[in-house]
Amino acid sequence: MNKVPIEAGLILAGILFMLGLISVLIRRNIIFMLISVEIMLNAAGLAFIVAGARWAQADGQVMFIFILTMAAAEVSVGLALILQIYHQLKTLDSDAANEMNG
Amino acid sequence: MMEVTFYIVATIAVVATVMVVTRHNLIHALLYLVVSFLAIAVVFYLLGAPFMAALEVIIYAGAIVVLIIFVIMMLNLKEEAVEQERQWLGRGILYGPAILSLILLGELLYIIITAEPNNSSYQTVDAKAVGLSLYGPYVIGVELCGILLMSGIVGAYHLGRQKKKIVHRFLEAIEE
């Protein structure tokens, strides 16, 4: 019933991952960098889903659930770190946090 | 019909993600990010993973984006933040990473396209099969996810706590 080629799904995942990678490279705002990492994780999950659908196995979706869990834990810890950095440095510039003075 | 839907939704996802990458205002970027996640959820549905589509909407477009919005509200960013972001995201800074990433993407696309084609169709893997796999061979992964989430909660609480600075009053007078 479904005529979508497997290449199309993988190409979509690749394009989304590349957009997230470009964003994490060009941004200086830490919150934008965190969002970009979310985009990249989502693209990786999409690749897993495509592969799982190709072989009609549940493993791809199981791996997506693990990625989802990891993304949720990562974003909560990352946002707590962003709050601490903002309170200590009064800026969201990632370059401002390059000194290790407690 | 499925194919046309897939290509429309894929285009929406890519365009929305490009808008996320190029926005200066955080809230605008997050709203485009929600659109991108919803489009990818439709892709999941079309690929025969309806349970994952629901999880994508609930957790990514719901929980994670709302969490980021709450943190932005806590930070209480002013209008200057948009101006500063515009200043940080100059034109020149885009070219180097974009060109290198595009070369990498081109190689990836070449590998994918030149691979031998297969005409196998997708089959729906329903939530029952996922659940059986999750609590059968992957049960150790589920336990590890539980540990990860708990350490995430503890870490977020520990890091997000506002520490009261205890300074002796003589030192305070000196610092002023």
Side-chain angles (χ1 to χ4, degrees), chain A residues 28 85 89 93-101:
Chain A
R28 284 177 71 181
I85 286 174
L89 302 173
D93 189 358
S94 56
D95 288 356
N98 59 356
E99 289 178 355
M100 292 178 66
N101 45 4

Side-chain angles (χ1 to χ4, degrees), chain B residues 143-160:
Chain B
E143 289 169 5
L144 286 173
C145 277
I147 295 173
L148 177 71
L149 281 176
M150 197 194 68
S151 59
I153 290 172
V154 174
Y157 173 72
H158 177 74
L159 288 171

Side-chain angles (χ1 to χ4, degrees), chain B:
Chain B
M1 193 58 214
M2 282 288 204
E3 200 176 11
V4 175
T5 316
F6 175 84
Y7 287 122
I8 292 172
V9 166
T11 312
I12 291 174
V14 171
V15 169
T17 311
V18 168
M19 296 301 270
V20 173
V21 173
T22 54
R23 287 308 91 183
H24 300 298
N25 194 324
L26 255 173
I27 297 292
H28 295 174
L30 276 174
L31 292 178
Y32 278 114
L33 188 69
V34 172
V35 175
S36 169
F37 284 157
L38 292 180
I40 294 173
V42 177
V43 171
F44 286 169
Y45 182 77
L46 292 177
L47 292 180
F51 184 48
M52 295 307 119
L55 277 186
E56 171 93 10
V57 172
I58 293 170
I59 296 183
Y60 267 112
I64 289 180
V65 172
V66 167
L67 201 62
I68 297 175
I69 285 178
F70 272 130
V71 167
I72 292 169
M73 285 161 65
M74 278 178 74
L75 291 181
N76 200 8
L77 298 171
K78 303 286 192 304
E79 283 292 318
E80 299 94 65
V82 180
E83 280 304 312
Q84 192 172 34
E85 187 63 33
R86 183 166 291 138
Q87 194 185 341
W88 280 345
L89 195 67
R91 283 275 161 259
I93 202 170
L94 180 67
Y95 294 125
I99 290 171
L100 293 178
S101 305
L102 282 174
I103 291 171
L104 284 177
L105 180 71
E107 289 185 347
L108 184 67
L109 294 187
Y110 178 75
I111 293 170
I112 291 174
I113 289 172
T114 55
E116 52 185 275
N118 52 44
N119 294 318
S120 62
S121 62
Y122 293 127
Q123 288 170 355
T124 301
V125 180
D126 56 352
K128 184 183 173 188
V130 177
L132 283 175
S133 183
L134 201 58
Y135 288 99
Y138 284 103
V139 69
I140 188 77
V142 175
E143 289 169 5
L144 286 173
C145 277
I147 295 173
L148 177 71
L149 281 176
M150 197 194 68
S151 59
I153 290 172
V154 174
Y157 173 72
H158 177 74
L159 288 171
R161 199 175 33 172
Q162 303 285 334
K163 279 184 204 119
K164 199 177 279 184
K165 265 192 185 167
I166 301 170
V167 182
H168 198 271
R169 57 183 187 278
F170 295 146
L171 289 174
E172 223 167 24
I174 290 170
E175 276 186 357
E176 283 168 2

